[in-house]
Structure formats: structure tokens, C-alpha cells
Amino acid sequence: MGQNGDEPTIGQLVANASKDLSGLVRGEIELAKTELKKTAVKAGTGAGMFAAAAFLLVLAIILLSIALAFWLIALGLPPALAFLIVAVLYLLIAVVLVLIGRRTLAGAKGPQRAIESSKESVEALKAIGKGDQEPALEARPDSGVRR
């Protein structure tokens, strides 16, 4: 009750607003937790399906490899030579994939701009810590900082 007996005081209004805001935040956090649990279950199920598909694909490749070797045997090649040809075919495919992967990894670089920006920020903070009022920041065209 307030000064007139029916109006709440400013302190009461602030306390009520704080309590309502706290309840709202708690409710939002619980909603986010529930949504994340559902999303995690769906993601786990999807990942399990992909793993099962990958396993079946490996089995299919093995069976197709055996079928290819038996086909070569049916053409008149000795069994050892037929299976050797299939193995060499897979080795060639593996070598090509390694070369492509190596070339791709060689072209991958780290976050160069972010590293450079972090170094500049550290230097600026060091300058502020030493008592300099105006830290020396270099203006970069992409940073939005103009001096």
C-alpha cells in the first residue's frame, strides 16, 4: 500500500517488476532447455541413422568388391590375380583421395584477420594499462576504425 493507501510505492513497483522479470527470465531459460533437449534427441537420432547408413555402405562396397573379383575370375583370370586387381584399384583410388585431400588442406589457412585483430586489441589494452591515454591503433580498411 502506498501513501494514499491504495497506490503502491515506487519501491514496491520496482520489487514487483524485478520479481516479474526474474520469473520471465526463468521461464525463458526453461523453454530454451526444453527446446534444446528435443533438438538434441533429433540430432542424435539423425546421427545414428547416418552411422547406420555408412555401415551398410561399407558392407555394400565389400560385397561389390567381391562380386567384381568373381566377375574377373569368370572372365578367365586366376582368383589371386582377380582379387589383386580389385585391391590395386582401391589403392589407386586411395592415393588420388590422399593427394586431393593434401592439396585441399594446404590451401586452408587459419582465421588470419581475426588473429591480427586480436593482436592489435592486446597491444591497445597494454598501452592503456601502461597509462597511455591514446592507444596507437592502426586503421584497417575492413575494421571500421578511422584515425
Side-chain angles (χ1 to χ4, degrees), residues 91-101:
L91 287 174
L92 290 174
I93 292 171
V95 167
V96 169
L97 290 174
V98 164
L99 292 174
I100 292 171

Side-chain angles (χ1 to χ4, degrees), residues 46-60:
M49 296 294 175
F50 277 120
F55 175 72
L56 292 175
L57 181 64
V58 168
L59 290 179

Side-chain angles (χ1 to χ4, degrees), residues 1-145:
M1 296 285 167
Q3 297 164 346
N4 297 346
D6 57 352
E7 291 185 23
T9 64
I10 292 179
Q12 291 170 331
L13 290 174
V14 170
N16 288 343
S18 176
K19 188 182 351 173
D20 291 344
L21 183 61
S22 177
L24 180 64
V25 169
R26 273 194 225 105
E28 291 295 327
I29 290 172
E30 286 302 315
L31 177 63
K33 284 181 183 179
T34 303
E35 288 178 350
L36 285 174
K37 284 179 186 175
K38 288 180 183 179
T39 302
V41 168
K42 284 184 180 181
T45 303
M49 296 294 175
F50 277 120
F55 175 72
L56 292 175
L57 181 64
V58 168
L59 290 179
I61 289 172
I62 291 169
L63 290 173
L64 289 172
S65 301
I66 293 169
L68 177 61
F70 278 123
W71 179 72
L72 292 173
I73 292 169
L75 291 178
L77 291 175
L81 184 59
F83 279 93
L84 182 64
I85 289 172
V86 172
V88 168
L89 174 70
Y90 282 121
L91 287 174
L92 290 174
I93 292 171
V95 167
V96 169
L97 290 174
V98 164
L99 292 174
I100 292 171
R102 196 169 80 190
R103 185 181 314 151
T104 303
L105 284 177
K109 295 181 181 178
Q112 299 299 322
R113 288 175 41 193
I115 291 171
E116 216 30 63
S117 176
S118 296
K119 287 180 182 178
E120 290 175 9
S121 297
V122 167
E123 291 302 319
L125 290 172
K126 283 181 183 178
I128 291 172
K130 290 179 182 176
D132 296 344
Q133 294 299 323
E134 193 69 28
L137 287 176
E138 295 178 21
R140 292 191 334 253
D142 60 342
S143 70
V145 176

